[in-house]
Amino acid sequence: MFYWTLILYTAAVNIAAYLLIRSDKQRAVNKEWRVPEYVFFLLCFVGGFIGVHLGMQHYRHKNRHWKFKAAVLISAVGFLIVFPFYFLFV
């Protein structure tokens, strides 16, 4: 049960992050109100780093900002390396 919940949570956060990147790109092109940057950082650090990364690459949005690249990298290291070791050895 725990694993299915974790899988569904991760999928939902990543899909939301990807769609939010798409929405922000469309809003940028149309010169409309934009999504604040802290929302993308928050999504990265709650598990949506894959969706943010794929959205950045697919829509070519926010790729020049080193802060977003660093946030994706740090959150990926946290979730893929540090987080599993914590549950295995602690």
Side-chain angles (χ1 to χ4, degrees):
M1 182 70 179
F2 172 74
Y3 293 114
W4 284 109
T5 306
L6 186 63
I7 289 169
L8 289 175
Y9 168 78
T10 305
V13 169
N14 281 294
I15 290 169
Y18 182 82
L19 294 176
L20 203 59
I21 289 277
R22 183 184 83 180
S23 172
D24 191 51
K25 176 66 175 187
Q26 290 173 346
R27 290 170 183 227
V29 169
N30 295 334
K31 300 195 185 316
E32 296 176 352
W33 174 82
R34 305 278 302 277
V35 177
E37 290 184 351
Y38 75 88
V39 173
F40 296 120
F41 293 131
L42 181 66
L43 283 171
C44 273
F45 290 110
V46 297
F49 61 92
I50 296 171
V52 170
H53 176 71
L54 291 176
M56 285 171 56
Q57 296 303 313
H58 186 256
Y59 295 108
R60 295 185 187 144
H61 189 55
K62 305 274 187 196
N63 347 1
R64 294 184 185 180
H65 300 276
W66 66 270
K67 295 184 291 187
F68 287 98
K69 291 180 181 179
V72 169
L73 182 65
I74 291 169
S75 60
V77 167
F79 274 94
L80 299 177
I81 296 173
V82 176
F83 195 62
F85 277 114
Y86 177 77
F87 281 111
L88 289 175
F89 298 115
V90 174

